[in-house]
Amino acid sequence: MTTDTAGAGELLTILRDGRSRTRADLVKLTGLARSTVGVRLDALLKQGWVVPEGEAVSSGGRPAVSYAFNPEARVVLAADLGALHARAAVTNLAAGILAERRTELAIAEGPETVLGWLADAFTELLEETGHTREEVSGVGVGLPGPVSHETGRPINPPIMPGWDDFDVAGWLGSRLGAPVLVDNDVNIMALGEHWSTIRDVEHMIFVKIGTGIGSGLITEHRLHRGAQGAAGDIGHVRVADADPDVMCPCGNTGCLEAIAGGNALAARLRVSGIEARNAGDVIAQVRAAEPAAISLVREAGRNVGDVLASLVSFFNPSVIVIGGELAEAGEHLLAGVRERVYSRSLPLATANLQIRVSRLGEQVGVIGAAAMVIDEALASDAIDRTLA
Amino acid sequence: MTTDTAGAGELLTILRDGRSRTRADLVKLTGLARSTVGVRLDALLKQGWVVPEGEAVSSGGRPAVSYAFNPEARVVLAADLGALHARAAVTNLAAGILAERRTELAIAEGPETVLGWLADAFTELLEETGHTREEVSGVGVGLPGPVSHETGRPINPPIMPGWDDFDVAGWLGSRLGAPVLVDNDVNIMALGEHWSTIRDVEHMIFVKIGTGIGSGLITEHRLHRGAQGAAGDIGHVRVADADPDVMCPCGNTGCLEAIAGGNALAARLRVSGIEARNAGDVIAQVRAAEPAAISLVREAGRNVGDVLASLVSFFNPSVIVIGGELAEAGEHLLAGVRERVYSRSLPLATANLQIRVSRLGEQVGVIGAAAMVIDEALASDAIDRTLA
């Protein structure tokens, strides 16, 4: 055990708030001996995790140097794989995107095709940004289905043929030479929105409304994955007063996704004689001010709102963020969501509740995948291991 | 700042797992200097938080003494105030009940009457168990309504006339000379069940089904109170396919509590010509094998199960515990709950889900109130303050 540097990660955790500190500040904050702080700080400096940052005001004598966390110390490879598209990015340790790539690619092409594209894209993006594999802290991947975050494998994902139990983390890790973290796409979206726009919010729900409907939960600033990593899966919650004839591919009737998901809305537009294959086409009709589409989106908002009303009473978040393709319908969708949440949730739980659309749009997934990796790579014990 | 003893709380946190350790063990576990561990351990021994416990096996030389957390170092005053009853107890620091008292007392009598009884009961219980006020680590109180845990005041509690914004913590604290923590009764029940029977479970939901219906959430071993402390309030969630004519006192229709709560069931028994005023009478009829009562309780279980099915998909707990008066109907109620949860929740979320009744029965509330105080009083920084 290298006792001398073993607590260096704790120093880095302190510095990750973005403020710089002198040695004296760090001695005071940790209660450790000056010599111990010195050894640990030197180890962090040597690896580039921390950089000296100008000179702090000192009470006489030599001006004291202050030290700051260095977000450029390493890079992260981040990916958001959707049902029909893939997005890859290189970020710094503040989840800032340095370069990115997007392609139309169906997840149904299977793991080797999709992950092969991803490995190539990451290699090219590293080259483009002038970074090497040695500088990669980790790889984060979001997948459109249930995932075991611990093993990095999908679990019976309904829209991902060939992916069940595929070792995504192992396959990518052996090709990229870095640790790989995998999670559900909505979980990484919740992380991305929380990390970038509302990091001081303790409890939030991110709801993705696209072809599928799902949610990601943040509690006490951390992702709540639940006992089997299945938390947030609200697409198959039964909607009150749902038409009992609406059968969902899951085998039940009245599921939220089967009533308010992108495909369901497109199907209903077609019944009205309007050409629409998917969520994107529904949004195009909303943008064209087609009354039938606007009415459908508002009603979908009400259905989502009915489900969220229960969840607001149960979970008492302070923010609900709506993302996914249908979020592009903006106020038409939000109006329906708000109508039901405010009429059915407890007044105490909605008194300070904010309901809004995502501020990160399409990039929310890759930013979240990067944030997932950064939180793990910069955790105090992980840093200690890099220095041991 | 007393740097020498400032980390003593951290040592106590290590010892709270119930295992005893030698000085050498503690040096190894903390990475601190032997002299620092010595100073901190002495401070803990002096205050009685830690006691020497026999002699550990040593590798030659003098046998080393090992040290253990002392659950008898202080006592806790714990109370569970219900709509129609009050319960007070003195416990040790393991939430073990040393003496308790229960009385029929309506919360509607108002705060001064109810809290006056409580202050007297606590004083008598301390005397009975041979303890003094100086030995009291803190006071924990559960109330049957929404509470701001931070201020210790009820917030618009529907069944507690005269209690809105009453300074429960301040009123009791000034009379008992100890810090007072207040929370919702279902939250303390969740804490009590978790603390005593499933401390290794990360995510659970405790559901109380009595006159009212509410829940308490544990995530990552801690109570999830939510943004306004309103989390878990599922009594007014709308039940799918509920009779739209069933008006709830909250002003909405179809609320779970208005359909499956004790008063609702008693009212329906009266319609069948069976005498029943409340949940207790319903349970008495179930015990007497009255088919109408058994059928009603099972249907109530289905209604609760419908709501829980959504929450299981959303929150993915590994255990659901049913408590409150109607839980005494046991398997009749559980069968209904399980039927709906297993038919409507995602298979992944129910694969390892356990649904059972509380193992602590009527004492779950006071045990939880004590656990709430102990977790706060023995937190590392709180211990440091007692030693400063």
Side-chain angles (χ1 to χ4, degrees):
Chain A
M1 195 170 120
T2 57
T3 312
D4 283 332
T5 60
E10 193 195 325
L11 288 193
L12 193 67
T13 300
I14 292 171
L15 291 170
R16 276 186 65 199
D17 67 2
R19 288 165 52 200
S20 63
R21 268 99 170 178
T22 64
R23 277 173 204 251
D25 291 338
L26 292 169
V27 166
K28 207 186 289 176
L29 279 165
T30 57
L32 295 168
R34 195 176 167 81
S35 59
T36 309
V37 168
V39 169
R40 294 176 185 178
L41 202 48
D42 287 345
L44 292 172
L45 284 161
K46 199 171 150 197
Q47 296 253 348
W49 293 116
V50 160
V51 285
E53 199 177 62
E55 291 174 348
V57 178
S58 162
S59 53
R62 284 185 305 168
V65 179
S66 74
Y67 299 91
F69 167 59
N70 175 20
E72 312 303 329
R74 300 287 187 284
V75 292
V76 172
L77 302 176
D80 178 17
L81 303 178
L84 298 171
H85 77 274
R87 185 182 289 263
V90 180
T91 79
N92 64 14
L93 295 178
I97 294 176
L98 306 177
E100 68 172 327
R101 187 152 305 187
R102 187 192 189 283
T103 191
E104 305 290 315
L105 179 58
I107 199 84
E109 298 276 331
E112 308 219 345
T113 304
V114 173
L115 297 179
W117 175 85
L118 194 58
D120 291 345
F122 281 148
T123 306
E124 290 161 28
L125 287 166
L126 279 176
E127 211 163 288
E128 264 175 58
T129 55
H131 288 285
T132 65
R133 282 191 179 187
E134 287 64 43
E135 294 171 81
V136 175
S137 252
V139 184
V141 179
L143 294 174
V147 171
S148 162
H149 179 64
E150 274 159 43
T151 64
R153 291 163 183 264
I155 308 167
N156 291 322
I159 63 160
M160 297 170 64
W163 288 79
D164 185 26
D165 204 37
F166 186 86
D167 185 5
V168 176
W171 198 97
L172 275 179
S174 70
R175 273 154 191 84
L176 297 166
V180 179
L181 295 178
V182 187
D183 209 333
N184 175 267
D185 59 350
V186 196
N187 279 352
I188 62 167
M189 289 178 187
L191 274 181
E193 189 79 24
H194 185 257
W195 169 287
S196 295
T197 72
I198 39 175
R199 212 182 293 192
D200 56 332
V201 162
E202 262 191 286
H203 311 293
M204 68 162 265
I205 303 177
F206 186 100
V207 184
K208 177 194 154 192
I209 315 177
T211 304
I213 297 179
S215 71
L217 288 64
I218 300 278
T219 166
E220 299 203 354
H221 305 285
R222 289 155 50 85
L223 200 58
H224 170 84
R225 292 194 172 89
Q228 269 77 38
D233 213 335
I234 60 171
H236 303 278
V237 163
R238 187 173 174 206
V239 175
D241 310 324
D243 180 346
D245 294 337
V246 178
M247 176 71 82
C248 180
C250 83
N252 266 318
T253 59
C255 296
L256 179 59
E257 193 167 297
I259 288 169
N263 288 343
L265 302 193
R268 271 190 278 166
L269 272 188
R270 290 196 298 274
V271 170
S272 316
I274 296 164
E275 193 61 43
R277 288 156 306 159
N278 51 36
D281 293 343
V282 175
I283 290 300
Q285 292 295 333
V286 169
R287 291 219 169 99
E290 165 58 47
I294 291 172
S295 159
L296 270 180
V297 163
R298 184 182 275 254
E299 184 60 22
R302 288 192 193 101
N303 295 142
V304 172
D306 276 335
V307 171
L308 284 176
S310 306
L311 303 180
V312 164
S313 294
F314 176 72
F315 191 67
N316 188 197
S318 51
V319 180
I320 292 177
V321 177
I322 311 285
E325 266 183 297
L326 283 174
E328 290 169 38
E331 290 303 323
H332 298 300
L333 184 73
L334 278 186
V337 172
R338 290 184 176 134
E339 174 188 325
R340 293 301 167 91
V341 168
Y342 288 113
S343 82
R344 288 293 323 184
S345 304
L346 289 177
L348 177 59
T350 55
N352 298 299
L353 177 66
Q354 193 193 338
I355 304 177
R356 63 162 172 86
V357 296
S358 167
R359 293 193 186 124
L360 300 178
E362 289 194 346
Q363 291 185 323
V364 66
V366 285
I367 292 171
M372 167 173 72
V373 170
I374 295 165
D375 275 339
E376 183 138 327
L378 298 188
S380 154
D381 52 342
I383 290 297
D384 288 352
R385 281 194 300 276
T386 73
L387 302 174
Chain B
M1 194 167 120
T2 57
T3 311
D4 282 332
T5 60
E10 194 196 325
L11 288 192
L12 192 67
T13 299
I14 293 171
L15 292 169
R16 276 185 65 198
D17 68 2
R19 290 166 52 201
S20 64
R21 268 100 173 178
T22 63
R23 276 174 205 251
D25 292 338
L26 291 170
V27 166
K28 207 185 292 174
L29 280 165
T30 58
L32 295 168
R34 197 175 165 82
S35 59
T36 309
V37 168
V39 169
R40 293 175 186 180
L41 202 48
D42 287 346
L44 293 172
L45 283 160
K46 201 172 150 195
Q47 296 253 348
W49 293 114
V50 160
V51 285
E53 198 176 64
E55 290 173 352
V57 177
S58 163
S59 54
R62 283 186 305 170
V65 180
S66 74
Y67 300 91
F69 167 58
N70 174 21
E72 313 303 330
R74 302 284 187 285
V75 292
V76 172
L77 302 176
D80 178 17
L81 303 178
L84 299 171
H85 77 274
R87 185 183 289 264
V90 180
T91 79
N92 64 14
L93 295 178
I97 294 176
L98 306 177
E100 67 172 328
R101 187 152 305 186
R102 188 193 187 284
T103 189
E104 305 290 316
L105 178 60
I107 199 83
E109 298 277 331
E112 308 219 345
T113 304
V114 173
L115 297 179
W117 174 85
L118 193 58
D120 290 346
F122 281 148
T123 306
E124 290 161 28
L125 287 166
L126 278 177
E127 210 164 289
E128 264 175 58
T129 55
H131 288 285
T132 65
R133 283 191 177 186
E134 287 65 40
E135 293 172 82
V136 175
S137 253
V139 183
V141 180
L143 294 173
V147 170
S148 163
H149 179 65
E150 273 159 44
T151 64
R153 292 163 182 263
I155 307 168
N156 292 321
I159 63 161
M160 299 171 62
W163 288 78
D164 184 26
D165 204 36
F166 187 86
D167 184 5
V168 175
W171 198 96
L172 274 179
S174 69
R175 274 153 191 84
L176 298 166
V180 180
L181 295 178
V182 187
D183 209 333
N184 175 267
D185 59 350
V186 195
N187 279 352
I188 63 167
M189 289 177 187
L191 274 181
E193 190 77 26
H194 186 258
W195 170 287
S196 294
T197 73
I198 39 175
R199 213 182 292 193
D200 56 332
V201 162
E202 263 192 285
H203 310 293
M204 69 162 265
I205 303 176
F206 186 100
V207 184
K208 177 193 153 192
I209 315 178
T211 304
I213 296 179
S215 73
L217 289 63
I218 300 277
T219 167
E220 298 203 353
H221 305 284
R222 291 155 49 85
L223 200 58
H224 171 83
R225 292 192 171 90
Q228 269 77 39
D233 212 335
I234 59 171
H236 303 279
V237 163
R238 188 175 173 203
V239 175
D241 311 322
D243 180 346
D245 294 337
V246 178
M247 176 69 83
C248 179
C250 82
N252 266 320
T253 59
C255 296
L256 179 60
E257 192 168 297
I259 287 169
N263 286 344
L265 302 193
R268 272 190 277 165
L269 273 187
R270 289 196 299 275
V271 171
S272 314
I274 295 164
E275 193 61 42
R277 287 156 307 159
N278 51 37
D281 293 343
V282 175
I283 290 300
Q285 291 294 334
V286 169
R287 291 221 170 97
E290 165 57 46
I294 291 173
S295 158
L296 269 181
V297 163
R298 183 183 276 254
E299 183 62 20
R302 288 191 196 103
N303 295 141
V304 172
D306 276 335
V307 171
L308 283 177
S310 307
L311 303 181
V312 164
S313 295
F314 176 72
F315 191 67
N316 188 199
S318 51
V319 180
I320 293 176
V321 177
I322 311 284
E325 266 183 297
L326 284 174
E328 291 169 37
E331 291 302 323
H332 298 298
L333 184 74
L334 277 187
V337 172
R338 289 182 177 135
E339 175 189 323
R340 293 302 170 93
V341 169
Y342 288 112
S343 82
R344 288 294 320 187
S345 305
L346 290 177
L348 178 60
T350 56
N352 297 300
L353 177 66
Q354 194 194 339
I355 304 177
R356 64 163 173 84
V357 296
S358 168
R359 294 194 186 124
L360 300 178
E362 290 193 346
Q363 289 185 326
V364 66
V366 284
I367 291 171
M372 167 172 72
V373 169
I374 294 164
D375 275 338
E376 182 137 328
L378 298 188
S380 155
D381 52 341
I383 291 297
D384 287 352
R385 281 194 300 277
T386 72
L387 302 173

